[in-house]
Amino acid sequence: ILLMIGPIVLGILLAFSPAACASPERAAQETYELAQFEEQQGNADHARQLYQGIIAKHPNTSWAEKSRARLSELQPAES
């Protein structure tokens, strides 16, 4: 149960952290780190959503470029 609660708690903490009001670069970095965590936990679909969100919300950051690279490396979602 702790493994399932972990990502939820992490997401809540990130959402209410002082960095939630930080620069686009910092916000994109935190979301990228969360996406990497989701990948490590085997949640590729959620990681994809997070990477896509970075690209949509922060397209001019270095993290958007890294997110594009990760998306191209991830296996496509199964239909």
Side-chain angles (χ1 to χ4, degrees):
I1 292 180
L2 279 180
L3 288 177
M4 293 187 314
I5 294 173
I8 295 168
V9 172
L10 180 61
I12 291 170
L13 289 175
L14 286 175
F16 292 103
S17 73
C21 299
S23 71
E25 190 76 23
R26 181 70 179 146
Q29 177 184 359
E30 288 193 358
T31 305
Y32 185 89
E33 290 170 356
L34 179 58
Q36 296 240 292
F37 176 78
E38 290 293 337
E39 277 192 67
Q40 292 170 358
Q41 296 297 310
N43 300 322
D45 288 339
H46 189 223
R48 268 188 218 85
Q49 291 173 348
L50 291 167
Y51 291 132
Q52 290 166 345
I54 293 168
I55 294 164
K57 293 178 185 174
H58 310 289
N60 299 321
T61 64
S62 62
W63 300 100
E65 187 172 327
K66 292 176 185 183
S67 295
R68 286 184 197 92
R70 285 304 306 140
L71 282 172
S72 70
E73 293 174 13
L74 283 174
Q75 293 292 330
E78 297 199 15
S79 309

